[in-house]
Each structure stands twice: as structure tokens, then as C-alpha cells.
Amino acid sequence: METTGYRLSVEGKTGEEATIRLAGRLSLDDLEPLMADLQAIPGRLMPRRLSVDLAGVEYLDSAGALVLIELQNRARALSIPVDLLNVSEKDHGLLSLIDPELLQRPPLRPEIVQSPILETMGELARRQFRDFQEIMSFVGELITALVYCLAHPRVVRWADVMFYMKRAGADGLPIVALISLLLGLIMAFMSSLQLKQFGANIYVANLVTIAMVRELGPIMTAIIVAGRSGSAFAAEIGTMIVNDEVNALLTMGFDPTRFLAVPKVLATMVVVPILTVYADLFAILGGLIVGVTGLDLTAFTYIQQTKSSISIFDFVTSLIKAIVFAVLISGIGCQRGFQVRGGAEGVGMSTTSAVVSAIFLIVVFDSAFAIMLYYVRH
Amino acid sequence: MSPSDTEPVIIVENLTARYGDVTILKDVSFEVYRGERFMILGGSGCGKSTLLKHMIGLLKPYAGRVIINGIDICRADEETLQAVRKQIGVLFQADALFGSMSLSQNVALPLTEYTDLPSDLIREIVRMKLGLVDLSGFDNHMPAELSGGMRKRAGLARAMALDPMFLFFDEPWAGLDPVTAAELDILIRSINEGIGTTMVFVTQELASILTLAQRVIMLHKEAKGIIARGTPGELREKSTDSRVLNFFNRHAM
Ligand SMILES: Nc1ncnc2c1ncn2[C@@H]1O[C@H](COP(=O)(O)OP(=O)(O)O)[C@@H](O)[C@H]1O
Ligand SMILES: [Mg+2]
């Protein structure tokens, strides 16, 4: 069996010639104590001449060699000559590979350290501004590409559009349906607790329908799509950037925005309104379940009440909102993807940023819609 | 290495490799000796990388076994496997440097993971390794800022961080110009001769095969296995197999 650890003995008196005998394994496993032991010897003994006898060394790896070279450096600093004795041919080869000079050479570039707070804030502001510029120029490119595609429908990659419609739409339907159904149940249940006290049970239908169709339906669906598909768009395009695939498209004369972003934007523009309608329906179904089981309403009265509470205008504006959200989600997803620089880390950041930015923009635009629609209605 | 040094340290026995239902390699057996520079040759898609991945335990064989240092890595428990992995350094086809870390952080990673050395000692080891591969001074550069040859060398420094007994290389010369490739050859040879690391290469780079390989096996896609073995000189001069001769003489099939 191989021995473990190293053995070390020192012969010689202070100020005279001294010999260090090393044996066993000089390896990475014992680097720390070995280094400490050996580094202490020259300064403690201050010998005229130091010999290091390696006759008993069974195994030497580059960490062990490093220790010997550091010992020589240390002794040289104290002007003590060092001889290595009984170095095997193999160990000699290893020792000659390591250049003591290089161990001292400072890095060509200093380590990156955290900059002071003011600088960081300035950098942050500058980055925000640049980010805004990039988004604006991407919006320009996207609009140009969309208009071009509108004029030349044949250049659109319809197969891709279908693919993303399935990905963002059909595959997302179960989760949208489930969440809206639960939302409808919860809204109906919570409001029924209050409305019961006034005998106004029937208005649960109005509450669920108006809240869902006007506000929650579009916004909930948009947030789910942002999480599912906006992030996927960013990751997909970002990975293509990292792998030079986008550069390949450019050199083949394709417009990456038209090639990659337009199908995604068109697909989401179609599926988000459809998903929104489904979300509304499932929430109403949730309300209906509570109404029938908990409030002694008949399904017929509940549906009649639902119908009367909503106007075509509400429905249409809700779809328009959904289309706008779709453009925001897919647009920011693609833009974040195109923004990726560097490697895997960049892709991760772009994915996060795609979702966060999309949700932020959805809320901002929803507020704008709320104010606009208020004035339109009155 | 001296020819008397004939202790096999890697044994591949009747290895059959499959992806799903597709058999890539069938009944492949060979041995690698201590301190040797061993090469696995063959055309694109013949299963060289697949074989390498089986040898380092990334893929489990469909049948057969791989024994490294006396340990059957296909059936070893996780703890034993971890110990074997410490003995293995791999330089992947794409250099697989972590893009978000500087060179010194890349090389220091296995050291911080597997040892509890203080940071100044780790820094010193990292310096030494970077010096070994001719990259001293580039401690704080990011991988993206380096040329292909430098990235390969940095990957080598990281693979060697723990002084492994074995180094595996997947197409280390791919994408390098002939001069840079020759420099890498010299570096690899000096490490092999200085440290005595056992080296296994997967390659189709003729120049490096002829200068560096001590023993080779050649795989073939249709044969799903080894069609020739020996020294590169033997294969080039004495082989009667047209597939081998075409490979060494760069003829089209
Ligand atoms: N993960 C995988 N799944 C299925 N087939 C694969 C996979 N990786 C490789 N292959 C197939 O196995 C064969 C051998 O691949 P590989 O080992 O990478 O070849 P080489 O490195 O010799 O060029 C190829 O035909 C390839 O298509
Ligand atoms: Mg390969």
C-alpha cells in the first residue's frame, strides 16, 4: 500500500551547513503543513548552506515541487545557497517544468474590485439610459419589420408562427385555465361572504365578470405568458447569439429581427387574446360553481346576470389590451435575447430581465388603459 | 516512458455503447498503460467522443466495463467515483471554460472545491499552473478575451489543477492553426514527460498523431469498433487495411 503524508528531519546547527531530509509523499494533500514547515527552516537556522535530500521521496506532484521551489526562493532571499540532492530523474523533469520567475510575475491586469458607490450609481444610470436607447431602436426595427411583413406576407415564416402559436398558446392553455378557474372560485367565494349580508347574492356574477373581463383576464394571462414564453424567447435568441447563429443569419443576408422576432410577435399577438377569452370563461365558470353550490342560484340566472353585466365594448377593449400586452411580452423577450453578450450567464440574466421588464410594462400600459377607457366611457 | 512500464491503468473491456436503440460501439476492448500518450483515432461521427465519455464515467456502458486504476467505474458507488474523478482531468472539445469567471478563478475552482487550502496558497498554485501552460500574467483575463490556443491552454491548466493521474483530451487541436497546434504538442509532451501523466487523446489531427502518439487505436463507423491498433508508424507503413491507409494518407474513400 502507498504511504500517506511526508516525513521531515533537519540536521545541522544554527549558522552552519544544514541538511533537510524529506521522505514519503510530497503532494497537494499535505501542501499547507509542508509549506509552513519548510518555509520556517531557513530563517530559523540561518545556515551557511542548505542541502535538501530527497532520497526518501516516493511521490512528488506539482504542488510538492512548488514547495521546493518556494523554499529555494526563500533561502535565496536570505542569501543561503540551496542544493537539492538525490533528485530522481522523474522528479527532476517535474522541477524543471516550473519556472520560479513566473511565480513572482504580477498579473498583466489588476483584479476587478468593487468600485465606489458614486461610480456604481453613475454606471447604473448610464446603463439604464443605454438600455432605454436599445429598446427604442429595437422597437423601431421591429415596427419596420412588421410593416414590411404586412406588405409582403410571403416573407413571413408561417411555419414558425404556427410553432410558436402552439408553444405559447395551446401548451399554455392548461395553466391559464387552471389559474383563472381558481381565481373565479376565490373571487366569487370572497365576495359572496360580503354580498350575502345584503341579500345581493346575484351580484357575485357581475363582480366576477366585470373584474375578470375588464382587468384581471388580460393582465393575468399576460403575466403567465410572460413567464412561460417571454423568457423562452429571450433564452432562445440569447443562446443563438452566444453560438454565433445570429451572426450566421446576418452573413447569409437575413434580417434577424424579421427572421427571429416577427414570427414570435405575430404568434403571441394571435394567441394571447384567445387565451384571455379562455381565462374569462374559466373564471366565470369558477364563479358559477360557487353561485350554484353555495348561493342557491340556478345556472340559468347566473349566466343571464353575467350576460347583462358585460358590454361588447368591454369585451373588445379587453382583447385590444391583450394584443398590446402580447406585443410587449414578445417584443421585450426578443429584445433581451438580442442584447445577450458573453456566455451562459448572459443568457440567464436576459431571461430574468425579459420577465421582469415584461411584467413592469404590462402594469404600466394597463394603468394607461384604465385612465384612457375611463374617459372614453364618460 | 520506458517500454518496460507495462502496467495497464485503464482497461476497457467489451464495451458496447448505445444511444437509445442505436449502437455506436460494439465489444470494444483495449488498455492504456501508465504514463502513456494514447490516441483514439477515426473519422467524424465514428464514436470517439462517445468512447471518451464512457471512459471518464459521463456515460454508462450498455454492456462491458471500464476499469480505471483497478476500480470499475461503471459499478462504483458515488463516493468511490468521486475519488476516481479527482484523478481525472478532462479538456473538452469546446474548452468549457466558465465564461463568467477569470482564468485564475477557473483554475482555482477545483482547488477550492476539493481542498481546504488558504487562498494565498491556492493563488500560488494557480500561478504555477498558468506558468506551466505559458499563460502567466493572464490571471485576471476573462476567457472571452483570449485566442483559441490560449483558451485551450487555460482549459489544460484547469484540467491539471489537482495534479490528476490521467488527462483526457477531446480534439484539443481542433480550430487551431498549425503553428499553435505544434506549440500545444510541445507543451503536452513536456507535461507528459515531466509529470508522467497518463494521457488519452481523441483526435483526427494527423500531424499531432504522428508527433505525439505512442500507441493508437482506430475506430470505424461501419465496423462500430476498432479496426486497427499499434504505433502510428506501424499503422501508416504496414497496415493493409485500405480504411487505415486512407486515413493516414488523407485519401478520399
Ligand atoms: N447524445 C446523443 N444522442 C444520440 N446520438 C448521439 C449522441 N451523441 C452522439 N450521437 C451519435 O453518435 C455517433 C458518434 O458520435 P461522436 O462520439 O460524437 O463521434 P465523434 O466524436 O467520433 O465525431 C454519431 O453518429 C452521433 O450522431
Ligand atoms: Mg467528437
Side-chain angles (χ1 to χ4, degrees):
Chain A
M1 213 37 229
E2 289 175 346
T3 53
T4 57
Y6 64 95
R7 291 180 303 283
L8 179 147
S9 61
V10 190
E11 288 165 19
K13 295 201 187 70
T14 310
E16 292 171 14
E17 293 197 0
T19 305
I20 303 175
R21 288 186 204 289
L22 282 166
R25 291 169 63 86
L26 309 186
S27 72
L28 186 63
D29 303 329
D30 299 308
L31 178 60
E32 201 178 351
L34 181 62
M35 186 74 107
D37 283 355
L38 282 180
Q39 286 286 305
I41 291 170
R44 181 158 52 84
L45 287 180
M46 288 304 284
R48 264 188 298 120
R49 184 168 203 91
L50 185 62
S51 306
V52 182
D53 187 350
L54 301 178
V57 172
E58 292 156 28
Y59 175 79
L60 179 80
D61 68 7
S62 69
L66 177 69
V67 172
L68 296 176
I69 284 166
E70 285 294 327
L71 174 66
Q72 287 175 312
N73 283 344
R74 173 102 182 102
R76 193 175 306 129
L78 299 167
S79 326
I80 304 167
V82 181
D83 301 311
L84 296 182
L85 308 177
N86 297 319
V87 186
S88 74
E89 195 188 331
K90 183 172 169 301
D91 295 349
H92 186 78
L94 174 54
L95 282 166
S96 62
L97 273 186
I98 301 172
D99 185 346
E101 293 268 302
L102 297 183
L103 292 175
Q104 317 287 351
R105 190 194 283 184
L108 292 169
R109 174 191 299 174
E111 211 165 324
I112 298 159
V113 284
Q114 191 65 42
S115 36
I117 180 94
L118 215 59
E119 222 173 284
T120 317
M121 279 169 57
E123 175 62 28
L124 215 65
R126 214 165 57 91
R127 205 179 311 155
Q128 287 299 336
F129 183 67
R130 205 171 44 215
D131 190 41
F132 178 72
Q133 278 182 325
E134 283 177 17
I135 291 182
M136 280 302 138
S137 82
F138 180 75
V139 168
E141 280 172 37
L142 187 62
I143 290 175
T144 320
L146 281 173
V147 168
Y148 182 88
C149 289
L150 219 62
H152 308 79
R154 293 178 50 149
V155 303
V156 179
R157 299 169 51 80
W158 292 109
D160 280 5
V161 176
M162 297 310 262
F163 173 79
Y164 288 113
M165 277 170 65
K166 176 175 180 304
R167 271 290 177 77
D171 295 354
L173 183 59
I175 184 71
V176 169
L178 179 69
I179 290 184
S180 330
L181 182 75
L182 292 176
L183 203 64
L185 282 171
I186 295 165
M187 275 197 298
F189 179 69
M190 296 305 285
S191 55
S192 73
L193 294 183
Q194 305 298 319
L195 292 173
K196 245 187 209 166
Q197 300 173 10
F198 312 106
N201 285 355
I202 188 65
Y203 289 106
V204 167
N206 298 46
L207 194 139
V208 170
T209 312
I210 291 176
M212 206 59 201
V213 174
R214 282 200 189 165
E215 275 303 320
L216 291 176
I219 210 166
M220 277 279 315
T221 311
I223 287 175
I224 294 173
V225 173
R228 284 189 76 255
S229 306
S231 56
F233 295 164
E236 184 186 322
I237 296 180
T239 311
M240 291 182 75
I241 292 252
V242 172
N243 291 340
D244 276 342
E245 288 172 48
V246 173
N247 288 341
L249 281 177
L250 276 170
T251 52
M252 287 188 278
F254 290 103
D255 172 11
T257 312
R258 200 188 302 154
F259 195 93
L260 296 173
V262 167
K264 298 182 175 69
V265 174
L266 288 180
T268 40
M269 279 171 75
V270 176
V271 296
V272 174
I274 297 175
L275 283 177
T276 304
V277 173
Y278 272 105
D280 294 346
L281 289 177
F282 274 94
I284 290 167
L285 178 67
L288 179 71
I289 293 171
V290 172
V292 172
T293 57
L295 300 173
D296 298 328
L297 298 172
T298 64
F300 181 75
T301 41
Y302 190 95
I303 291 171
Q304 281 302 319
Q305 188 69 20
T306 298
K307 270 191 195 159
S308 69
S309 66
I310 200 79
S311 66
I312 291 291
F313 178 80
D314 290 331
F315 183 69
V316 171
T317 49
S318 140
L319 291 189
I320 292 173
K321 265 208 280 198
I323 293 176
V324 172
F325 292 163
V327 175
L328 292 176
I329 296 163
S330 52
I332 201 80
C334 295
Q335 193 269 337
R336 291 305 189 220
F338 282 119
Q339 226 178 19
V340 166
R341 293 295 171 270
E345 197 191 32
V347 177
M349 287 193 318
S350 82
T351 319
T352 310
S353 165
V355 178
V356 174
S357 311
I359 292 177
F360 174 73
L361 288 177
I362 288 167
V363 173
V364 169
F365 274 73
D366 193 56
S367 317
F369 268 115
I371 296 168
M372 243 163 55
L373 291 176
Y374 173 81
Y375 284 108
V376 174
R377 283 199 186 93
H378 294 86
Chain B
M1 279 293 111
S2 58
S4 66
D5 215 352
T6 52
E7 179 193 1
V9 280
I10 303 176
I11 305 172
V12 176
E13 258 179 25
N14 302 323
L15 180 100
T16 298
R18 282 191 179 183
Y19 288 115
D21 292 335
V22 188
T23 305
I24 307 293
L25 297 167
K26 211 161 169 262
D27 262 334
V28 170
S29 302
F30 61 93
E31 284 160 2
V32 182
Y33 298 109
R34 187 185 294 282
E36 184 177 40
R37 294 190 300 270
F38 184 86
M39 291 201 185
I40 300 166
L41 323 180
S44 299
C46 69
K48 304 183 297 292
S49 299
T50 305
L51 179 55
L52 190 86
K53 284 181 186 149
H54 280 87
M55 289 173 76
I56 57 182
L58 284 180
L59 295 175
K60 292 258 178 265
Y62 177 77
R65 25 183 227 162
V66 176
I67 298 168
I68 292 187
N69 244 353
I71 295 166
D72 181 352
I73 60 164
C74 314
R75 279 158 200 86
D77 57 79
E78 194 50 40
E79 208 172 312
T80 326
L81 208 56
Q82 203 63 13
V84 176
R85 287 215 177 101
K86 266 174 78 170
Q87 293 291 334
I88 292 178
V90 187
L91 183 56
F92 286 98
Q93 198 161 348
D95 47 60
L97 291 171
F98 301 115
S100 54
M101 300 184 187
S102 68
L103 283 203
S104 58
Q105 286 169 333
N106 261 292
V107 180
L109 187 68
L111 289 164
T112 47
E113 182 65 29
Y114 282 109
T115 70
D116 39 10
L117 294 172
S119 58
D120 54 333
L121 266 185
I122 287 187
R123 195 167 310 141
E124 205 161 336
I125 297 178
V126 168
R127 282 232 173 126
M128 170 182 69
K129 302 283 168 178
L130 288 178
L132 270 181
V133 298
D134 257 337
L135 281 177
S136 57
F138 289 90
D139 309 43
N140 299 324
H141 281 63
M142 302 304 275
E145 298 168 314
L146 303 182
S147 71
M150 292 163 96
R151 292 165 60 118
K152 281 275 151 63
R153 297 206 302 266
L156 181 56
R158 188 180 68 183
M160 294 197 317
L162 293 171
D163 269 297
M165 248 179 95
F166 306 98
L167 276 174
F168 290 84
F169 300 81
D170 194 349
E171 312 256 8
W173 301 279
L176 299 185
D177 65 86
V179 177
T180 312
E183 284 167 2
L184 188 62
D185 284 355
I186 295 172
L187 176 67
I188 288 173
R189 181 191 284 268
S190 75
I191 287 168
N192 171 258
E193 285 170 355
I195 306 184
T197 317
T198 308
M199 295 181 166
V200 177
F201 302 81
V202 155
T203 186
Q204 37 193 331
E205 193 71 30
L206 207 49
S208 298
I209 294 169
L210 294 175
T211 54
L212 219 49
Q214 292 171 318
R215 236 155 38 85
V216 304
I217 57 172
M218 186 162 170
L219 303 179
H220 196 266
K221 196 166 184 166
E222 271 78 58
K224 295 192 196 311
I226 302 177
I227 54 167
R229 50 180 98 209
T231 68
E234 280 169 12
L235 259 56
R236 185 167 63 156
E237 309 300 334
K238 303 204 184 97
S239 178
T240 49
D241 190 328
S242 62
R243 295 169 297 188
V244 177
L245 290 176
N246 286 343
F247 182 88
F248 277 93
N249 298 314
R250 302 191 64 169
H251 278 301
M253 288 305 242

